[in-house]
Amino acid sequence: MPQSPTPYLLLMLLSLCSFAPANAANALKPDTPSEYSYALPLQVSGKQGVVAFQLPQAVYLNANTANLDDLRVFDANGVAQPHALHRPQVAQPARRDSLAANVFPIRGGSNSTAGGTSIDVDIRTRPDGSVMSVQAHAGKRQGNSGATNATNATLSSLILDFGAAAIGDDNNPVRIDALRFDAPKGEANYNAEVWLQTSSDLKHWSTIGAAELSWLANDNGQTLASDRLEFSPQAFRYARLIWRRGVPAEFAAIHAETLPRQSSEPVRETLWIKPAAVKAIENRAGDQPAGLIYPAGVALPVEQVSLKLSEPNIVLPVALGYYAERRSRHTGKATEWAFRPITHATFYQITQDGQTRRSGALDIRVEHQPEWVIRPLNPAATARPELGLSWQPATLVFLAGGTPPYTLSFGRADATPTSQPLNQVAPGFTPRELARLEQAQAGVLQTGQGAAAGNSAATQAGLSARQRTYILWGVLILGVIVLGGMAWKLIRQMKAGSDKVN
């Protein structure tokens, strides 16, 4: 009897099952303007072979890749032109130094409030400007060792002198952007909120920052510390530390972290974002403390963050970060959202003597996040500030070949990178020549055919997944039919054999 072709048919079906989804997923899509969701017409004079274009905010908000891999410059015939992404070099700051403070505790005087009530003290200095002694009018004179005859008097505040090195000179000006504290002696666990005021002459004081300082030790001798007070870079020699909450204590040491002034600062753009709706926040955070979520764009290379507070007098210590999906630690859930902090900082807005003092922008490492999260460290905080994200826009340098006019297309998550090294787009150009390149002028942002037809990368990915599912189910059903046919044929053969025996 000839061998049934059914096993070969089954083998062919199994091959189709594995090949068809892979074939659908790996199908190459054309790299044409219609595959991109957004387009910016670029106007050029036509007289220059290499043209520059500083990327506007719209590109960063609508690009679908963190490294701008989905940028293309197409000519009138849809031919992609060579391009490079260029960011002018910015002078790097010198090595961060640390300045130890000479600390002068003030005892016996009335504790100054953070609102700026002056401390009634007499401060004496040497000819070189260094502090020699500090005396509260209600107490006795104290030297730089911190000794006092009124040893039982209550500590109210600290005067700090960072020395002549904090002043610098015209060739090397110095700015201080943080104070670092060592835990109070004999205090394994300590928590307090302190305010920092600065001065250059010991007469006029300005509040520039506040921080929650804490040290928490466990039974194994390990310590969890929040020991930094960060603020926008300032130039000062003297500082005054005031307690807003907690018991005043003498820290074992206080150091100022200095950042010499950069020779040039990059030009930055800032995007201000309002927090998302509370319902969306709760959905994203699950059973975790949610905080405030700010939707942004994954292409934004954020290097500074700011907060715009609406309350007239407020201090808001926060943790800034993002949510990341990870494998769930709970039974019955595959994944869960976990908060990943990037930095901790204290933002404030204080009105005093008719003037408003605000916290400045905070430098962070460059981050690309589609959403940013702010978690107030004070659980009772109700403020919903706007978040400012700042970045240095890149300059697109492209070869004006092909047939003008040109279009900058973007908005495709599955695009492959085509950006080239700068010396392959503008070979031999000096930094001065690059700075003087003709600047293309952008037209009105257009919605590309890719977006109009719903052909975004996410839509295509979903469509491909559904197609693979349909194909798989079709193959399985067909396989069941084939197996049923084989069983029916086998039953017939067995019955025919039985009839012959009989």
Side-chain angles (χ1 to χ4, degrees):
M1 183 177 61
Q3 189 174 6
S4 171
T6 304
Y8 298 102
L9 179 60
L10 183 59
L11 180 60
M12 183 176 65
L13 289 173
L14 293 175
S15 300
L16 178 63
C17 179
S18 61
F19 171 76
N23 186 55
N26 295 329
L28 296 177
K29 292 165 50 177
D31 196 20
T32 61
S34 63
E35 299 298 329
Y36 294 82
S37 300
Y38 300 94
L40 271 178
L42 299 180
Q43 300 176 5
V44 299
S45 67
K47 299 178 180 180
Q48 304 296 333
V50 178
V51 183
F53 177 62
Q54 183 171 297
L55 298 181
Q57 191 174 108
V59 172
Y60 285 98
L61 293 181
N62 295 296
N64 289 141
T65 55
N67 296 322
L68 300 176
D69 293 338
D70 55 329
L71 262 60
R72 299 291 189 274
V73 179
F74 291 108
D75 71 355
N77 297 322
V79 179
Q81 303 299 302
H83 75 274
L85 292 175
H86 171 58
R87 287 183 177 86
Q89 294 293 325
V90 178
Q92 296 297 318
R95 181 179 57 87
R96 179 183 290 271
D97 293 323
S98 178
L99 299 175
N102 290 320
V103 182
F104 298 84
I106 299 177
R107 302 180 184 275
S110 59
N111 189 15
S112 171
T113 66
T117 304
S118 61
I119 302 175
D120 193 11
V121 296
D122 177 25
I123 303 176
R124 293 189 177 183
T125 61
R126 299 183 178 88
D128 62 359
S130 60
V131 175
M132 180 171 61
S133 63
V134 176
Q135 179 183 19
H137 284 182
K140 297 186 178 182
R141 191 175 308 279
Q142 299 147 63
N144 64 351
S145 65
T148 177
N149 294 330
T151 55
N152 295 325
T154 302
L155 178 67
S156 59
S157 58
L158 300 175
I159 296 292
L160 312 178
D161 180 5
F162 293 102
I167 302 174
D169 52 46
D170 293 339
N171 296 326
N172 186 28
V174 175
R175 293 183 299 171
I176 299 174
D177 62 354
L179 297 187
R180 188 180 70 254
F181 298 81
D182 290 353
K185 294 180 179 179
E187 298 281 354
N189 298 286
Y190 182 76
N191 181 269
E193 182 179 339
V194 297
W195 287 56
L196 179 68
Q197 297 179 336
T198 62
S199 174
S200 296
D201 57 8
L202 293 171
K203 297 178 181 179
H204 304 90
W205 299 86
S206 299
T207 301
I208 66 166
E212 184 92 6
L213 301 178
S214 63
W215 290 265
L216 180 62
N218 61 17
D219 295 337
N220 297 325
Q222 299 172 323
T223 301
L224 181 65
S226 175
D227 58 0
R228 284 170 57 84
L229 193 163
E230 297 180 344
F231 42 86
S232 58
Q234 306 280 335
F236 62 88
R237 172 173 178 171
Y238 310 104
R240 184 163 63 188
L241 208 62
I242 300 169
W243 275 258
R244 180 182 175 90
R245 181 178 53 78
V247 178
E250 292 188 51
F251 298 100
I254 302 175
H255 291 83
E257 295 182 353
T258 67
L259 184 69
R261 187 184 304 274
Q262 295 180 349
S263 59
S264 61
E265 291 286 343
V267 177
R268 294 188 178 95
E269 286 197 22
T270 300
L271 172 68
W272 290 99
I273 312 172
K274 294 182 179 179
V278 175
K279 183 177 181 180
I281 297 173
E282 293 173 349
N283 290 342
R284 171 55 57 90
D287 57 357
Q288 305 177 49
L292 302 173
I293 293 184
Y294 298 80
V298 70
L300 290 173
V302 179
E303 55 190 16
Q304 282 187 345
V305 293
S306 311
L307 284 191
K308 186 182 293 183
L309 300 161
S310 58
E311 294 80 357
N313 292 290
I314 182 174
V315 175
L316 187 65
V318 302
L320 175 73
Y322 59 94
Y323 280 115
E325 196 170 10
R326 69 181 183 189
R327 182 178 299 177
S328 178
R329 300 175 180 174
H330 302 87
T331 305
K333 294 176 63 178
T335 61
E336 63 183 6
W337 293 100
F339 178 70
R340 307 293 191 196
I342 294 174
T343 188
H344 295 74
T346 298
F347 296 91
Y348 61 90
Q349 180 169 267
I350 305 168
T351 301
Q352 185 70 26
D353 296 330
Q355 296 182 346
T356 301
R357 302 168 181 173
R358 298 182 179 89
S359 50
L362 179 66
D363 292 330
I364 62 171
R365 67 176 186 271
V366 176
E367 286 282 349
H368 295 265
Q369 298 299 336
E371 291 179 338
W372 293 75
V373 180
I374 286 181
R375 279 190 171 183
L377 299 182
N378 178 6
T382 59
R384 295 174 59 83
E386 292 186 42
L387 174 66
L389 304 178
S390 301
W391 71 95
Q392 181 188 2
T395 296
L396 180 78
V397 179
F398 68 94
L399 193 63
T403 305
Y406 304 99
T407 302
L408 175 62
S409 298
F410 50 95
R412 178 176 173 180
D414 62 347
T416 56
T418 60
S419 177
Q420 300 182 13
L422 185 60
N423 60 9
Q424 294 183 16
V425 177
F429 280 60
T430 65
R432 182 184 181 119
E433 289 175 322
L434 291 172
R436 298 173 61 182
L437 287 177
E438 175 188 340
Q439 295 292 317
Q441 301 300 313
V444 179
L445 179 65
Q446 301 174 356
T447 301
Q449 298 178 18
N455 289 331
S456 67
T459 303
Q460 290 296 326
L463 180 60
S464 298
R466 289 192 295 273
Q467 289 176 343
R468 291 194 295 269
T469 301
Y470 297 152
I471 293 173
L472 179 60
W473 275 108
V475 170
L476 290 175
I477 292 173
L478 184 58
V480 170
I481 294 173
V482 170
L483 289 175
M486 292 174 59
W488 177 74
K489 185 175 180 180
L490 182 59
I491 291 173
R492 287 187 60 186
Q493 291 175 350
M494 292 174 63
K495 184 177 181 180
S498 176
D499 292 341
K500 289 181 179 180
V501 172
N502 295 331

